[in-house]
């Protein structure tokens, strides 16, 4: 797998590129999530925290399910 430099600007360019591979898009999306969370986590309303945390768990679950033996 190609190395992806984890910074916000490059990650956003990957997400905005129609030619980016699924691998690059997923890594870039999680990188953007990480940067936003570290920058704003202390300022979130409780409802926003709950939604963000649920999305985080849903993303992790999708990754895990994709690797279950029946799915490849």
């Amino acid at each position: 797998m190609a190395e992806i430099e984890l910074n916000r600007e490059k990650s956003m360019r990957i997400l905005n590129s129609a030619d980016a591979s699924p691998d690059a898009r997923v890594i870039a999306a999680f990188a953007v999530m990480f940067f936003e969370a570290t920058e704003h986590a202390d300022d979130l309303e409780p409802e926003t925290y709950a939604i963000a945390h649920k999305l985080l768990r849903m993303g992790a679950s999708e990754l895990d399910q994709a690797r279950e033996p029946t799915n490849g």
Side-chain angles (χ1 to χ4, degrees):
M1 175 184 273
E3 184 176 323
I4 297 173
E5 186 175 327
L6 295 178
N7 69 47
R8 187 186 313 249
E9 294 77 23
K10 287 186 180 184
S11 295
M12 289 303 297
R13 277 198 296 273
I14 291 167
L15 286 176
N16 289 321
S17 171
D19 297 328
S21 72
D23 293 307
R25 294 182 62 76
V26 168
I27 296 299
F30 276 94
V32 170
M33 177 277 309
F34 172 78
F35 295 124
E36 291 297 324
T38 57
E39 185 173 327
H40 302 292
D42 292 337
D43 302 320
L44 297 179
E45 297 292 330
E47 297 84 8
T48 305
Y49 170 84
I51 292 167
H53 206 267
K54 183 169 184 166
L55 287 168
L56 176 63
R57 290 191 311 268
M58 290 169 62
S61 177
E62 285 297 319
L63 291 175
D64 292 342
Q65 287 180 21
R67 288 295 173 218
E68 288 181 0
T70 59
N71 291 332

